[in-house]
Amino acid sequence: MSTRMFGAPVQRSEDARLVAGRGAFLDDLGAAACAAAFVRSPHARARIRDIDAADAVGVEGLIAVYTYEDLSGPMAEPLPLLIPHPSILDSRTPYALAREYVHHVGEAVAMVIAEDRYAAEDAAARIRVDYEVGEAVVGIDAAVAAERTVHEGMADNVAAHLVQEVGDARAAVDAAPNSLELDLDVERSAGTPLEGRGVYARWEPASSSTGSDDGRLRVYSSTQTATGVRAAVAAKLELALGQVEVVVPDVGGGFGVKIVHPWPEEVMVPWAARRLGREVKWTEDRREHFVAAAHERAQRQRVRVGFDDSGRMLGLDVDLLHDNGAYLPYGVIVPIVTSTQLLGPYKPGAYRVEFRSLYTSTVIVTPYRGAGRPQGVFAMERTMDAIADHLGLDRLQVRAANVIRPDEMPYDQGLLFQDGRPLIYDSGDYPRMLEMIAELVDWPGFAEYRDRAHREGRRVGIGVACYVEGTGPGPYEGGHVQVETSGKVRVATGLTSQGQGHGTVLAQIVADELDVPLSDVEVTTGDTRRMGYSVGTFASRGAVTSGSAVALAARRLKDKALRIAADALEADAGDLEFADGRIQVTGSPVHSIDLSTVAVLSNPLRYAFDSASAAATQFSGSADYDRPPVAEGEAPGLEGTDYHSPLRCTFANGAHAAIVETDPDTAEIRILRYCVVHDCGNLINPRIVEGQVQGGVAQGVAGALYERMAYDSDGQLLNASLMDFLMPYASEIPSVEIAHMQTPSPLNPLGVKGAGEAGVIPASAALAAAVEDAEGFRVDRMPISPSELFELRRRHAAGGVPSVPARPSPASAPSGAAADAPAPSSPPPAGAAPPEGPDPSEPPVPSAREPR
Amino acid sequence: MTEEQHDIRLRVNGIPHTARVPARRLLSDCLRHDLGLTGTHVGCEHGVCGACTVLVDGRPVRSCLMLAVSAAQHDDITTVEGLAAPDGTPHPAQQAFGECHALQCGFCTPGFLTLVAAYVRDNPAPDEEDAREAVTGNLCRCTGYQNIVNAVLRTAEITREQDGGAGVPHARPSAEHDGAAGDATAAAPRTEGGRP
Ligand code: FES
Ligand code: FES
């Protein structure tokens, strides 16, 4: 047997190409394509009186200008509501090009096609649009007040309304010996991948291979779903599915925004390519990405909680107001996720959650990494801290009193999750998670550290936040595995990659299944020509769904290979095993056949092309004249296809702890340590998982301390550039100390859970708690900037912000965590070391980023 | 409307190129779309992200902030495609980024690689704080930077190994430099948001 690849921190196979500058991202393709540019609304609310393109006509290189008037059939209908849900009261989705009204700044009004992008933008700048400007609705307050509505023909701005309840939560809160009420607020941010969106399409004239006397469309898109774009474009352009191929090239980050489909541009570009018979490409620029893609996060929350004297929740009653922007193309996934994932690792007693999803005159809101969970965790974890403060208990102790125990798994929360299936946690060890985070950050030792810091005139604080994340939802993903006569193994899955290293981890899985070298396995993602059945990359589902699917597909291939090998070796299939690229009689390498030879035998040939195929031709070897060349019930080729359709989500979990220092004068906030305990089930590639965690934490820190969408009351986004939207550099992001737990999921053949989003989820909650702890007053609104902290201090001094009591110093961590845990400046404990052990190629990571 | 065109000569990765461009053509667009060198990426087009960083006469420059006609005044441009040795051996930075898992989507990577190549050439023995400082002008949305910082240190280490500990800094990508490399990228304009 070769070394097991599953669990090994192998280097990514994607990297050699990417570091050489040989990546192929959307804008790297289509050198000969003409360019599209869009005229976008400068107003958040307006009626279009007239569009005049006369001035654009003289622009050299102009090919065409299109407006809504040019569209017909399904193209003239609104874009689809992708995920319908009974809670949606009035679903509004945009048109491919605005029809009469615009509802946010940045909405596409006209499309220009020209020989190159410079000419297209010149022409776009000369198109005069006459707007009758209306008044915008910006922010949750204005949306609730409904003095005016975002959309014509609506009485208010409520897009959706949903109540979920388990038990009588309001009565439970009222009857509880203790109760609290919290008002919380989270602002807008956005995934903001470094590569924006982009679409490139070409129309191929009809031939016998296109299957109709219409042609065939090839679309390249920087998307998180190839099959979704294919189906959506086919529906809009009234093409058969078989006439549309979607290929997803290298994608420069997605973080959720690229799961939305079809974007207006994603149908307009193929439409124009077909209409013009020319290749057309559109590459989004940075400002467009800010005003015409998608944002997330903005929510207002009211929490009422009732609890006993040990801090155990008896009832939890939550009201959410969710800003969904101008349209609702992705349905209500985000507020549903908040409503359900808010519960985290805890038992709430009776639970009631009600949300209203509200239209505002701003960019649409769709899932951004974490997808509603950061807000839910913020609500729950702020509540946990408030309970602890109310009772004078340690914050981890209160959490320990509320977590679900391992012997209660699987645990049914009694709600319906975002995939329409029951919210039943599959596995997890939450008490151990609390112990581990206490050890890793040295929770018990912090009081002493704080005292020392105080004596030096420094303010420091510690915060913790836990989460449970439903990952790997269905309906399914597929895998196709094929062994070629060269012995190379080709794997395909339909979902797409945006940097998660699917090419590496899926190869690891297949290499193990077939016992072949990793370097012999090649993986294709996101190409409808290779795998037509797929859903897409979102909700941390790649490893769970596609990982399981390729494992199952490889197993099918193995069954077939065993049948062929048994014939060739004249042995019983049950006596055979896979070993180092061969099939051999168990324990007897001399009686073996190469997998490549099995591939040759699997596909009887008439023609010889090389020595391998010559061995499979009609006159080679001994034929059995009583059987057809391909046995009955078999198909030619050594390949297998299978699908993984999970019963429910797998539930990953973790806890983050942050230590911050706040400057007594300037109110600057600096992260001294950031610790993560992370359980995503069995680890396929710890290096990649840690990369996902580090990147997620960076986005979490960004959302907690730096990033926001600064809309003015007219609906203008004031910081629509990377100069003004403070995406952190290396100077702002702490190094992250990670400790892994591996609680396998019983719901898939690999025992894995998703890992892509986890890092971002509890960051705002943990940092709010740490800042609160440093400052001694309640923090109930994120993000928080130094000027906001300064303002909070002022208001606190004036009595406007409640104090938090001095926190008790815990004698030990919950359930007796190690007493010898390190001080914040000492190296992390053994449990925190990456499981691959020290990597000699990497310098040691310090446990704290000490102030410079 | 006809725009005036300029015939320019650019020496990129040691190879002379000619292009016919309007005065407003950005160097980034010229490299990518006129010369087909698509390894240089564009993440913002306003000088903040650093994805478009190339070396102009050995110094890191944001190619979205330089016009192609101005670039033609310089002797030599190095893009990510030109970092490897002529025999195809990856540059130490390219090797280090792979080893340290310093890239995920890889979109920011060419800008970091050119930056780090010049930085390590001029600073052969950085410590971790130096390494972090060195890459603080470029944005990466995927990695959280720690592995990029590690990769800077590893680049220096590989370079020293290759030079046999002789203390001679790695000579590629350009022998011409004035020791101020890095300044051009570190000076990205920002509005102040009260960042620490
Ligand atoms: S594209 Fe040049 S700095 Fe961002
Ligand atoms: S690796 Fe994706 S932006 Fe850096």
Side-chain angles (χ1 to χ4, degrees):
Chain A
M1 285 289 285
S2 19
T3 335
R4 195 168 146 76
M5 286 291 119
F6 191 106
V10 299
Q11 211 173 307
R12 303 198 321 167
S13 52
E14 292 89 338
D15 291 346
R17 194 168 51 77
L18 293 170
V19 298
R22 289 189 289 111
F25 295 85
L26 195 283
D27 190 52
D28 303 343
L29 311 173
C34 35
F38 289 84
V39 176
R40 298 185 182 277
S41 171
H43 304 294
R45 173 73 196 269
R47 197 173 73 81
I48 300 167
R49 288 202 202 97
D50 184 46
I51 302 174
D52 179 0
D55 281 358
V57 172
V59 173
E60 193 177 299
L62 177 68
I63 296 170
V65 176
Y66 299 114
T67 67
Y68 176 80
E69 300 299 318
D70 297 298
L71 305 177
S72 61
M75 282 296 288
E77 301 294 319
L79 296 177
L81 168 62
L82 275 180
I83 309 177
H85 189 271
S87 69
I88 298 173
L89 304 170
D90 196 335
S91 72
R92 301 293 177 114
T93 56
Y95 290 90
L97 293 174
R99 172 191 183 176
E100 192 172 357
Y101 293 99
V102 289
H103 297 104
H104 67 87
V105 170
E107 189 163 353
V109 172
M111 177 169 72
V112 177
I113 310 285
E115 294 297 342
D116 76 5
R117 181 65 177 254
Y118 287 65
E121 291 195 13
D122 285 348
R126 287 163 168 268
I127 292 172
R128 284 199 302 252
V129 184
D130 182 14
Y131 294 99
E132 179 184 319
V133 180
E135 276 190 276
V137 178
V138 178
I140 287 174
D141 287 338
V144 172
E147 280 166 19
R148 47 190 179 274
T149 62
V150 173
H151 289 284
E152 305 69 39
M154 279 183 71
D156 59 19
N157 292 306
V158 181
H161 178 216
L162 183 68
V163 179
Q164 293 206 69
E165 185 155 27
V166 184
D168 189 344
R170 288 180 166 169
V173 174
D174 290 341
N178 310 286
S179 65
L180 284 170
E181 189 168 314
L182 288 83
D183 284 303
L184 304 166
D185 199 328
V186 180
E187 276 193 42
R188 268 192 186 219
S189 185
T192 324
L194 214 51
E195 180 207 34
R197 299 174 294 140
V199 193
Y200 159 47
R202 62 172 186 250
W203 182 255
E204 196 186 308
S207 74
S208 56
S209 78
T210 56
S212 75
D213 57 7
D214 208 357
R216 175 162 58 191
L217 182 68
R218 168 85 53 83
V219 180
Y220 296 83
S221 183
S222 183
T223 180
Q224 291 175 221
T225 171
T227 48
V229 171
R230 180 196 202 191
V233 168
K236 278 290 172 193
L237 269 55
E238 297 181 279
L239 296 168
L241 212 50
Q243 284 176 278
V244 183
E245 296 168 343
V246 174
V247 180
V248 180
D250 290 324
V251 174
F255 313 118
V257 61
K258 294 177 183 175
I259 191 61
V260 178
H261 63 284
W263 292 98
E265 301 86 353
E266 221 161 25
V267 293
M268 286 307 301
V269 167
W271 176 85
R274 180 191 193 186
R275 185 169 168 129
L276 294 168
R278 300 268 314 253
E279 296 185 15
V280 179
K281 180 169 77 174
W282 168 72
T283 306
E284 185 177 57
D285 71 25
R286 186 49 57 186
R287 181 174 160 77
E288 284 183 298
H289 190 76
F290 274 103
V291 300
H295 304 162
E296 214 232 276
R297 303 283 197 251
Q299 268 181 15
R300 189 75 56 77
Q301 310 167 327
R302 168 159 296 180
V303 180
R304 288 179 67 238
V305 62
F307 47 98
D308 68 17
D309 293 336
S310 67
R312 210 159 47 87
M313 289 185 288
L314 302 171
L316 183 64
D317 180 15
V318 178
D319 243 304
L320 303 172
L321 295 170
H322 172 80
D323 172 358
N324 64 234
Y327 299 108
L328 203 65
Y330 210 73
V332 287
I333 290 298
V334 175
I336 290 178
V337 170
T338 305
S339 306
T340 47
Q341 298 266 269
L342 186 145
L343 296 174
Y346 311 116
K347 292 180 279 189
Y351 180 51
R352 180 183 196 278
V353 60
E354 173 169 8
F355 75 73
R356 282 183 181 73
S357 189
L358 301 159
Y359 288 115
T360 59
S361 310
T362 57
V363 175
I364 60 169
V365 167
T366 64
Y368 157 33
R369 195 179 203 172
R373 292 178 188 84
Q375 302 95 308
V377 168
F378 186 68
M380 188 75 255
E381 296 295 314
R382 296 283 61 218
T383 303
M384 283 291 150
D385 287 350
I387 292 172
D389 287 339
H390 183 82
L391 298 172
L393 294 174
D394 174 62
R395 289 171 288 166
L396 274 180
Q397 217 88 52
V398 166
R399 286 169 170 84
N402 282 287
V403 292
I404 297 158
R405 294 188 317 271
D407 62 13
E408 292 174 287
M409 294 288 177
Y411 188 83
D412 188 349
Q413 289 279 22
L415 301 168
L416 273 191
F417 193 39
Q418 58 112 327
D419 56 353
R421 303 177 77 87
L423 184 72
I424 301 175
Y425 297 175
D426 54 336
S427 64
D429 187 345
Y430 307 149
R432 178 70 194 132
M433 167 187 81
L434 291 174
E435 288 168 21
M436 283 183 65
I437 194 68
E439 286 169 32
L440 183 59
V441 75
D442 188 18
W443 184 266
F446 185 75
E448 196 197 314
Y449 178 76
R450 185 207 303 276
D451 289 345
R452 233 185 316 137
H454 268 180
R455 286 197 296 276
E456 295 163 8
R458 298 164 55 211
R459 279 187 207 183
V460 295
I462 191 169
V464 68
C466 307
Y467 67 93
V468 165
E469 180 200 359
T471 67
Y476 68 85
E477 284 300 329
H480 174 255
V481 181
Q482 180 173 23
V483 177
E484 299 197 333
T485 55
S486 62
K488 291 275 183 210
V489 181
R490 308 245 180 251
V491 180
T493 191
L495 57 63
T496 63
S497 292
Q498 303 85 44
Q500 301 92 333
H502 295 135
T504 304
V505 296
L506 299 183
Q508 286 177 265
I509 293 166
V510 172
D512 275 358
E513 289 290 339
L514 301 182
D515 202 15
V516 296
L518 190 60
S519 55
D520 277 353
V521 187
E522 287 180 1
V523 178
T524 299
T525 58
D527 184 339
T528 61
R529 300 169 301 179
R530 290 290 306 280
M531 175 56 73
Y533 292 96
S534 169
V535 187
T537 303
F538 57 91
S540 304
R541 68 193 295 278
V544 177
T545 55
S546 282
S548 300
V550 300
L552 296 171
R555 289 172 195 179
R556 284 203 188 267
L557 180 153
K558 283 165 76 173
D559 288 343
K560 181 170 190 177
L562 285 176
R563 290 195 298 272
I564 296 167
D567 239 22
L569 295 171
E570 294 177 337
D572 194 286
D575 297 334
L576 300 178
E577 64 180 4
F578 286 74
D580 291 328
R582 296 186 321 276
I583 297 176
Q584 65 186 30
V585 175
T586 306
S588 172
V590 285
H591 297 107
S592 72
I593 180 169
D594 285 348
L595 219 44
S596 55
T597 311
V598 178
V600 170
L601 297 177
S602 75
N603 185 19
L605 293 174
R606 183 170 181 84
Y607 306 115
F609 316 104
D610 53 19
S611 56
S613 48
T617 52
Q618 293 154 315
F619 295 99
S620 65
S622 55
D624 180 345
Y625 300 121
D626 294 332
R627 291 200 303 185
V630 176
E632 229 169 285
E634 293 284 10
L638 184 52
E639 58 184 339
T641 300
D642 208 341
Y643 297 86
H644 176 63
S645 182
L647 189 60
R648 295 183 296 274
C649 280
T650 56
F651 287 83
N653 62 277
H656 290 198
I659 297 178
V660 302
E661 176 164 1
T662 55
D663 189 294
D665 301 317
T666 64
E668 284 167 292
I669 302 164
R670 188 170 45 214
I671 300 171
L672 301 182
R673 289 183 75 204
Y674 200 99
C675 298
V676 172
V677 170
H678 180 257
D679 188 347
C680 62
N682 293 335
L683 293 170
I684 305 170
N685 185 326
R687 180 196 297 257
I688 286 178
V689 169
E690 284 171 18
Q692 290 294 313
V693 171
Q694 289 169 346
V697 167
Q699 281 183 318
V701 169
L705 302 181
Y706 302 105
E707 296 173 355
R708 71 189 67 222
M709 293 293 169
Y711 273 103
D712 72 8
S713 58
D714 293 328
Q716 295 293 342
L717 184 57
L718 303 179
N719 60 344
S721 86
L722 290 180
M723 291 199 202
D724 303 305
F725 178 84
L726 301 179
M727 188 188 287
Y729 288 106
S731 42
E732 281 77 48
I733 299 301
S735 54
V736 181
E737 300 162 49
I738 302 171
H740 294 289
M741 295 175 71
Q742 297 193 52
T743 313
S745 171
L747 296 180
N748 60 69
L750 305 174
V752 296
K753 304 177 177 184
E757 296 168 276
V760 81
I761 292 171
S764 267
L767 288 165
V771 171
E772 171 178 286
D773 192 46
E775 294 288 324
F777 52 75
R778 189 72 70 69
V779 173
D780 52 18
R781 188 186 159 88
M782 291 298 263
I784 187 164
S785 67
S787 49
E788 281 156 330
L789 178 56
F790 189 83
E791 175 63 15
L792 275 181
R793 284 177 182 172
R794 218 182 43 73
R795 283 176 43 213
H796 174 248
V801 177
S803 296
V804 294
R807 263 78 189 251
S809 27
S812 69
S815 325
D820 59 347
S825 55
S826 59
E836 74 267 33
D839 180 345
S841 71
E842 290 180 17
V845 179
S847 70
R849 224 174 122 216
E850 283 301 336
R852 296 192 209 136
Chain B
M1 287 173 301
T2 311
E3 206 171 358
E4 194 189 340
Q5 304 288 318
H6 302 266
D7 290 309
I8 59 167
R9 290 171 189 284
L10 292 175
R11 187 179 170 83
V12 186
N13 303 328
I15 299 168
H17 292 268
T18 56
R20 193 170 169 76
V21 296
R24 62 175 171 165
R25 189 88 166 153
L26 301 177
L27 175 59
S28 51
D29 285 338
C30 179
L31 289 169
R32 291 177 48 74
H33 302 306
D34 298 327
L35 307 186
L37 293 167
T38 54
T40 299
H41 295 157
V42 172
C44 69
E45 276 185 307
H46 46 251
V48 181
C49 75
C52 65
T53 304
V54 300
L55 304 180
V56 176
D57 295 339
R59 295 185 48 178
V61 162
R62 285 164 198 239
S63 60
C64 74
L65 293 185
M66 184 178 261
L67 298 175
V69 289
S70 324
Q73 324 270 321
H74 294 271
D75 295 331
D76 179 53
I77 296 168
T78 304
T79 68
V80 66
E81 290 96 336
L83 288 180
D87 70 353
T89 307
H91 186 280
Q94 291 171 313
Q95 184 186 335
F97 269 63
E99 284 179 10
C100 298
H101 187 27
L103 63 152
Q104 290 182 22
C105 77
F107 196 79
C108 68
T109 311
F112 276 99
L113 288 171
T114 46
L115 176 69
V116 171
Y119 175 76
V120 170
R121 178 197 62 205
D122 298 339
N123 304 273
D127 65 17
E128 183 177 348
E129 197 180 323
D130 298 334
R132 194 173 276 274
E133 198 65 42
V135 294
T136 274
N138 280 28
L139 287 172
C140 172
R141 192 56 159 170
C142 297
T143 62
Y145 300 108
Q146 182 58 48
N147 288 346
I148 294 179
V149 173
N150 295 344
V152 176
L153 298 170
R154 178 71 186 133
T155 303
E157 194 175 86
I158 297 169
T159 307
R160 286 195 299 273
E161 283 164 16
Q162 286 184 353
D163 294 340
V168 181
H170 196 81
R172 286 193 312 267
S174 166
E176 281 297 306
H177 61 88
D178 59 7
D183 290 357
T185 50
R190 303 284 306 206
T191 52
E192 263 310 307
R195 345 184 78 187

